[in-house]
Amino acid sequence: MFRYIFIMLALFGLHVRAATVKINWNLEYLNISRDGFSTWPAVSVNGQIPIPPVYVTQGDVLSLNVHNSLDKPVSIHAHGLFMRNTSYFDGVGMVTECGIPPGSSYTYFIETREQSGTYIIHGHYAVEIADGLRAPFIILDKGKPAVDYDKELLLTLEDWGRQPEAEHLSHLQSLPSDKIPLDFKTGLVNGTNGNYSAPITVARSTRYRLRILNIGLDHPFKFRISGHKMHVIEADGVNVEPLEVDGLDIAPGQRYSVLLETLDSDNFNYIYNATMVADFTPVVKGLNPRYYIGAIEYRKNAPFKSTPLISDNDLVWADEFDMVPLNRQELLPVDRVIELEKRSKLMEYGLPLMGLGDAPHKPVLVPTLLSALSMGNLASESAIYGPQSTVYVLDYQESIELVIRNPALRSHHMHIHSRVFQIVERGPLGNATAA
């Protein structure tokens, strides 16, 4: 009997017995204005948006029962979880499942096993993540954390449009091919317009673990706190040796934990800066980038500390190449090299978006995982998965070196479901021969 795995898939298996945290979600539309400008039917959970964070403890199993009261299929993905032997709960529409039909329910069993840290749980069938179906998913350490701290804080960053994302994409499709869209989104901080977010309240002489997540769709943020240094201790679920930085550059889907040591005086409050950048459209004064300022509040009504203005170029920004994982894993041996190039391709809305491989993306009729499980020995033949995708079939426990080239001038963060990977080299942006 052959044993193969596929990118984003793990082998079918059995559950491990562990403590179970049961949560029920009813997905329904809720007319709401989150940016202060526009009201439209967003996707809520149990009548709430933003959706409350999900908390479990390392080793727990999350039993998430989802009822779909929307008018279209939906699926739920735990972003960053390994899904070892449970890829059928990975929640990727038409890859690992068909999606939950309107009016139906489905229960996901998400095993945390040895993982702890900061993750995201969100819709992954079409564009429902952009319409509000997204929330922090926090896995608390079962024992003593790798780094000591006194308290925790949670900060979410996200982009928010002025209409449902399907309507937005339809609008983009109607534009002439040479016209650059200038319909900019609003940045939300902790669920509300970043200009009106509630202060982050802190106590003096306290060491906080500040979890910062970009749960948005396509806009990166730059985040920093005036008068304070931060020490990165976790990046995307991986504990790292404390790294001192001035600020964080956070792409959609990225998560950091930083140590924030507050000052020994509460005479002043301080500001934080969250800058949202649409690096795929031109710079427009007042619209792109968008600047949001909030308060780090030591004491209510205390004056704000005046600090010098410092250019971003003179600050130290978090960089994965400077981070050292606590487990100090050795470089993996390479069994095979796969080379990919980021390029423009037509997606299902008829829009020229960026993708990997040569095939234009089109919806499949049968989820990839179901094809793999039902085709016997033919599952190792990439052709059975159809011409709409570029498929690589991997051997079980094979170590792959991915060489990804980006000839464009726009950076693009990448991730692989159910995996973390080692970054071994990085070339200059916009060089077609560099990776």
Side-chain angles (χ1 to χ4, degrees):
M1 179 72 176
F2 70 89
R3 294 194 295 176
Y4 290 100
I5 62 171
F6 300 82
I7 290 179
M8 300 194 298
L9 307 181
L11 295 180
F12 191 90
L14 301 175
H15 297 303
V16 176
R17 297 178 67 86
T20 300
V21 178
K22 296 184 178 180
I23 296 179
N24 295 310
W25 275 9
N26 179 36
L27 311 183
E28 55 189 341
Y29 294 113
L30 178 67
N31 275 308
I32 191 170
S33 174
R34 301 185 70 194
D35 57 7
F37 303 113
S38 54
T39 301
W40 49 270
V43 178
S44 69
V45 166
N46 303 332
Q48 292 182 278
I49 189 168
I51 300 167
V54 174
Y55 282 91
V56 299
T57 300
Q58 185 179 19
D60 287 349
V61 175
L62 172 62
S63 171
L64 180 63
N65 181 259
V66 180
H67 181 76
N68 182 9
S69 297
L70 308 176
D71 58 0
K72 59 192 69 173
V74 71
S75 62
I76 301 296
H77 170 62
H79 181 92
L81 272 289
F82 288 160
M83 297 297 169
R84 202 171 283 138
N85 296 330
T86 58
S87 57
Y88 39 87
F89 289 135
D90 198 33
V92 185
M94 299 312 293
V95 175
T96 62
E97 64 170 85
C98 296
I100 308 169
S104 299
S105 299
Y106 184 73
T107 300
Y108 295 87
F109 291 95
I110 300 171
E111 299 178 358
T112 63
R113 303 198 185 204
E114 78 281 5
Q115 288 185 269
S116 64
T118 310
Y119 303 89
I120 303 170
I121 190 161
H122 63 82
H124 207 311
Y125 188 87
V127 292
E128 61 275 356
I129 179 177
D131 294 344
L133 187 48
R134 54 201 190 191
F137 181 22
I138 308 302
I139 306 177
L140 302 172
D141 291 284
K142 189 172 186 178
K144 184 180 178 180
V147 179
D148 290 331
Y149 55 90
D150 302 314
K151 297 180 180 180
E152 288 203 11
L153 295 168
L154 186 66
L155 182 77
T156 60
L157 306 168
E158 55 190 308
D159 49 18
W160 191 252
R162 300 200 177 190
Q163 59 188 334
E165 187 65 16
E167 294 181 16
H168 177 230
L169 291 173
S170 179
H171 165 67
L172 294 181
Q173 187 179 5
S174 69
L175 295 176
S177 59
D178 60 345
K179 183 174 177 59
I180 299 175
L182 297 177
D183 49 343
F184 298 106
K185 296 183 178 182
T186 299
L188 306 183
V189 178
N190 281 342
T192 60
N193 186 312
N195 287 321
Y196 311 109
S197 297
I200 299 173
T201 303
V202 298
R204 61 187 179 87
S205 302
T206 304
R207 174 183 264 200
Y208 288 93
R209 177 178 184 160
L210 173 58
R211 300 180 190 261
I212 306 174
L213 310 85
N214 185 342
I215 63 174
L217 179 68
D218 51 21
H219 286 62
F221 282 81
K222 285 181 173 291
F223 177 85
R224 61 188 180 95
I225 301 173
S226 67
H228 295 71
K229 295 283 187 178
M230 297 181 284
H231 290 81
V232 178
I233 58 170
E234 178 218 350
D236 297 333
V238 177
N239 291 325
V240 299
E241 295 181 2
L243 176 69
E244 184 176 279
V245 299
D246 295 307
L248 304 170
D249 193 347
I250 315 177
Q254 282 194 298
R255 302 92 59 203
Y256 286 109
S257 284
V258 299
L259 289 181
L260 176 66
E261 299 203 30
T262 55
L263 307 177
D264 58 6
S265 168
D266 61 2
N267 290 336
F268 295 97
N269 295 327
Y270 293 80
I271 65 168
Y272 67 78
N273 299 87
T275 303
M276 188 177 78
V277 182
D279 58 357
F280 42 86
T281 56
V283 172
V284 178
K285 187 176 182 180
L287 294 175
N288 182 37
R290 287 198 164 183
Y291 301 96
Y292 300 96
I293 295 176
I296 302 295
E297 186 178 82
Y298 278 76
R299 181 167 52 85
K300 193 173 181 63
N301 298 324
F304 282 91
K305 179 70 172 179
S306 178
T307 56
L309 292 176
I310 304 175
S311 167
D312 282 358
N313 296 330
D314 296 325
L315 298 174
V316 177
W317 297 90
D319 188 327
E320 289 87 345
F321 264 87
D322 298 327
M323 298 178 193
V324 180
L326 283 184
N327 63 12
R328 289 186 170 268
Q329 183 187 45
E330 296 292 331
L331 278 180
L332 297 172
V334 176
D335 298 319
R336 195 195 329 176
V337 177
I338 295 176
E339 298 192 9
L340 301 170
E341 182 173 301
K342 185 166 98 59
R343 63 184 64 176
S344 179
K345 57 197 293 188
L346 289 177
M347 306 303 264
E348 59 183 289
Y349 284 90
L351 296 170
L353 302 179
M354 302 307 297
L356 298 174
D358 298 320
H361 175 79
K362 296 179 182 178
V364 298
L365 300 178
V366 178
T368 307
L369 179 59
L370 300 188
S371 296
L373 293 174
S374 62
M375 294 303 293
N377 289 333
L378 290 177
S380 62
E381 301 294 332
S382 60
I384 71 160
Y385 301 100
Q388 73 286 330
S389 298
T390 303
V391 176
Y392 295 91
V393 181
L394 311 180
D395 291 331
Y396 179 58
Q397 292 191 330
E398 188 176 13
S399 292
I400 304 298
E401 180 178 287
L402 286 177
V403 179
I404 303 175
R405 293 185 173 85
N406 179 12
L409 292 177
R410 177 195 174 192
S411 62
H412 197 297
H413 291 75
M414 313 291 293
H415 83 282
I416 301 175
H417 284 214
S418 296
R419 300 289 183 273
V420 292
F421 46 82
Q422 300 173 325
I423 304 174
V424 298
E425 186 180 7
R426 182 175 63 196
L429 189 65
N431 187 326
T433 62

